[in-house]
Amino acid sequence: CEQSCEWQKAPWSEKFPDCAFCAYQQVELDTTTCSAAISACEKDGEWEEAFHLFSEMARSKVKLDKISLNAVMSTCEKGGRWEKAVRLLSDSMQSKVEPDRITFNAAISACEKGSEWKIALHLFSMMAGSGVEASKITFHATIAACAKRGKWEKA
Protein backbone atom coordinates (compact mmCIF):
# COMPACT_ATOMS: atom_id res chain seq x y z
CA CYS A 1 0.00 0.00 0.00
CA GLU A 2 2.90 2.33 0.64
CA GLN A 3 3.68 2.67 -3.05
CA SER A 4 0.04 3.08 -4.04
CA CYS A 5 -0.48 5.69 -1.34
CA GLU A 6 2.50 7.62 -2.67
CA TRP A 7 0.93 7.57 -6.13
CA GLN A 8 -2.30 8.89 -4.63
CA LYS A 9 -0.50 11.79 -2.97
CA ALA A 10 1.32 12.75 -6.16
CA PRO A 11 0.49 16.28 -7.37
CA TRP A 12 -0.98 14.94 -10.61
CA SER A 13 -3.29 12.38 -8.94
CA GLU A 14 -6.27 14.78 -8.82
CA LYS A 15 -5.78 15.66 -12.45
CA PHE A 16 -5.59 11.99 -13.46
CA PRO A 17 -8.02 10.15 -11.20
CA ASP A 18 -7.64 6.94 -13.21
CA CYS A 19 -3.99 6.78 -12.15
CA ALA A 20 -4.90 7.46 -8.52
CA PHE A 21 -7.68 4.88 -8.73
CA CYS A 22 -5.27 2.30 -10.15
CA ALA A 23 -2.86 3.03 -7.34
CA TYR A 24 -5.60 2.76 -4.72
CA GLN A 25 -6.73 -0.57 -6.14
CA GLN A 26 -3.07 -1.62 -6.31
CA VAL A 27 -3.39 -2.12 -10.04
CA GLU A 28 0.03 -1.91 -11.57
CA LEU A 29 0.46 1.14 -13.73
CA ASP A 30 2.14 0.52 -17.03
CA THR A 31 4.13 2.47 -19.56
CA THR A 32 1.11 3.18 -21.77
CA THR A 33 -1.00 4.63 -18.95
CA CYS A 34 1.84 6.79 -17.66
CA SER A 35 2.78 7.99 -21.15
CA ALA A 36 -0.84 8.99 -21.75
CA ALA A 37 -0.86 10.94 -18.48
CA ILE A 38 2.39 12.70 -19.45
CA SER A 39 0.90 13.57 -22.85
CA ALA A 40 -2.15 15.02 -21.10
CA CYS A 41 0.19 17.14 -18.97
CA GLU A 42 1.85 18.35 -22.16
CA LYS A 43 -1.46 19.43 -23.64
CA ASP A 44 -2.30 21.31 -20.42
CA GLY A 45 1.14 22.93 -20.19
CA GLU A 46 1.89 21.16 -16.92
CA TRP A 47 5.61 20.48 -17.34
CA GLU A 48 6.24 20.06 -13.60
CA GLU A 49 3.60 17.36 -13.30
CA ALA A 50 4.86 15.61 -16.43
CA PHE A 51 8.43 15.68 -15.15
CA HIS A 52 7.33 14.40 -11.74
CA LEU A 53 5.35 11.57 -13.30
CA PHE A 54 8.27 10.58 -15.53
CA SER A 55 10.59 10.57 -12.51
CA GLU A 56 8.05 8.52 -10.57
CA MET A 57 7.90 6.02 -13.43
CA ALA A 58 11.64 5.48 -13.19
CA ARG A 59 11.56 5.26 -9.40
CA SER A 60 8.66 2.80 -9.46
CA LYS A 61 10.33 0.61 -12.08
CA VAL A 62 7.67 1.32 -14.73
CA LYS A 63 9.45 0.75 -18.04
CA LEU A 64 10.50 4.00 -19.68
CA ASP A 65 10.31 4.11 -23.46
CA LYS A 66 10.76 6.61 -26.27
CA ILE A 67 7.09 7.59 -26.13
CA SER A 68 7.22 8.55 -22.46
CA LEU A 69 10.63 10.20 -22.90
CA ASN A 70 9.52 12.23 -25.91
CA ALA A 71 6.27 13.21 -24.23
CA VAL A 72 8.07 14.65 -21.21
CA MET A 73 10.73 16.24 -23.46
CA SER A 74 8.01 17.95 -25.46
CA THR A 75 6.40 19.18 -22.25
CA CYS A 76 9.70 20.68 -21.11
CA GLU A 77 10.22 22.26 -24.53
CA LYS A 78 6.77 23.84 -24.55
CA GLY A 79 7.27 25.02 -20.97
CA GLY A 80 10.58 26.65 -21.86
CA ARG A 81 12.46 24.38 -19.46
CA TRP A 82 15.61 23.90 -21.50
CA GLU A 83 17.65 22.84 -18.44
CA LYS A 84 15.28 19.94 -17.74
CA ALA A 85 15.16 18.97 -21.42
CA VAL A 86 18.96 18.88 -21.67
CA ARG A 87 19.23 16.88 -18.44
CA LEU A 88 16.63 14.38 -19.66
CA LEU A 89 18.46 14.02 -22.96
CA SER A 90 21.74 13.44 -21.16
CA ASP A 91 20.14 10.92 -18.80
CA SER A 92 18.50 9.09 -21.69
CA MET A 93 21.85 8.66 -23.39
CA GLN A 94 23.08 6.89 -20.24
CA SER A 95 19.98 4.67 -19.99
CA LYS A 96 18.34 2.00 -22.09
CA VAL A 97 16.10 4.55 -23.83
CA GLU A 98 18.04 5.91 -26.77
CA PRO A 99 17.07 9.39 -27.89
CA ASP A 100 15.68 9.78 -31.40
CA ARG A 101 15.03 12.72 -33.69
CA ILE A 102 11.99 13.81 -31.67
CA THR A 103 14.02 13.76 -28.45
CA PHE A 104 16.82 15.89 -29.90
CA ASN A 105 14.39 18.26 -31.63
CA ALA A 106 12.54 18.90 -28.37
CA ALA A 107 15.79 19.61 -26.53
CA ILE A 108 17.12 21.90 -29.28
CA SER A 109 13.76 23.70 -29.51
CA ALA A 110 13.77 24.19 -25.72
CA CYS A 111 17.25 25.74 -26.01
CA GLU A 112 16.00 27.95 -28.83
CA LYS A 113 13.17 29.22 -26.62
CA GLY A 114 15.67 29.83 -23.83
CA SER A 115 18.08 31.64 -26.19
CA GLU A 116 20.75 29.06 -25.39
CA TRP A 117 22.43 29.02 -28.79
CA LYS A 118 25.69 27.38 -27.65
CA ILE A 119 23.86 24.47 -26.08
CA ALA A 120 21.60 24.15 -29.13
CA LEU A 121 24.69 23.90 -31.36
CA HIS A 122 26.24 21.37 -28.99
CA LEU A 123 23.08 19.25 -29.08
CA PHE A 124 22.99 19.50 -32.88
CA SER A 125 26.56 18.18 -32.94
CA MET A 126 25.70 15.40 -30.47
CA MET A 127 22.76 14.43 -32.63
CA ALA A 128 24.98 13.99 -35.67
CA GLY A 129 27.53 12.09 -33.57
CA SER A 130 24.79 9.76 -32.34
CA GLY A 131 23.81 8.87 -35.88
CA VAL A 132 20.39 10.50 -35.56
CA GLU A 133 19.38 12.21 -38.78
CA ALA A 134 18.44 15.89 -38.55
CA SER A 135 15.18 17.19 -39.98
CA LYS A 136 13.90 20.57 -41.10
CA ILE A 137 12.70 21.12 -37.54
CA THR A 138 16.21 20.44 -36.24
CA PHE A 139 17.80 22.94 -38.62
CA HIS A 140 15.13 25.55 -37.99
CA ALA A 141 15.38 25.35 -34.20
CA THR A 142 19.20 25.43 -34.27
CA ILE A 143 19.31 28.41 -36.63
CA ALA A 144 16.60 30.21 -34.64
CA ALA A 145 18.54 29.69 -31.39
CA CYS A 146 21.61 31.30 -32.96
CA ALA A 147 19.60 34.11 -34.54
CA LYS A 148 17.96 35.05 -31.24
CA ARG A 149 21.38 35.96 -29.87
CA GLY A 150 22.62 37.56 -33.08
CA LYS A 151 24.85 34.57 -33.78
CA TRP A 152 23.30 33.59 -37.10
CA GLU A 153 26.76 33.13 -38.64
CA LYS A 154 27.42 30.30 -36.16
CA ALA A 155 24.47 28.36 -37.55
Side-chain angles (χ1 to χ4, degrees):
C1 179
E2 180 180 318
Q3 184 179 15
S4 63
C5 291
E6 286 178 28
W7 279 91
Q8 259 188 310
K9 294 177 193 173
W12 45 265
S13 64
E14 289 179 19
K15 188 171 207 112
F16 307 108
D18 289 343
C19 293
F21 177 77
C22 288
Y24 178 73
Q25 296 297 322
Q26 295 185 0
V27 173
E28 194 170 324
L29 292 174
D30 61 11
T31 304
T32 304
T33 304
C34 292
S35 294
I38 291 171
S39 292
C41 289
E42 174 192 358
K43 288 175 179 50
D44 284 350
E46 301 287 346
W47 72 267
E48 289 174 328
E49 291 180 18
F51 192 80
H52 177 77
L53 180 54
F54 186 78
S55 299
E56 191 68 24
M57 284 175 69
R59 191 184 71 71
S60 299
K61 308 286 190 245
V62 174
K63 184 181 179 220
L64 302 175
D65 65 2
K66 285 183 186 182
I67 295 169
S68 56
L69 172 64
N70 289 339
V72 75
M73 288 290 290
S74 182
T75 302
C76 291
E77 180 258 324
K78 288 179 180 170
R81 307 307 299 183
W82 67 269
E83 308 96 332
K84 296 275 188 193
V86 170
R87 184 174 303 130
L88 282 169
L89 177 62
S90 176
D91 290 349
S92 74
M93 296 181 90
Q94 306 296 321
S95 73
K96 294 178 182 177
V97 182
E98 290 186 33
D100 60 12
R101 182 184 306 164
I102 296 168
T103 317
F104 276 101
N105 284 349
I108 292 170
S109 292
C111 290
E112 181 255 322
K113 287 182 177 167
S115 299
E116 295 293 332
W117 66 275
K118 288 181 182 178
I119 297 172
L121 283 175
H122 177 72
L123 295 177
F124 182 82
S125 176
M126 280 178 52
M127 184 177 183
S130 298
V132 178
E133 188 176 330
S135 67
K136 289 179 185 179
I137 294 169
T138 314
F139 290 112
H140 179 269
T142 306
I143 291 167
C146 293
K148 276 190 173 181
R149 292 297 223 173
K151 304 291 183 185
W152 58 269
E153 73 280 355
K154 299 284 185 185

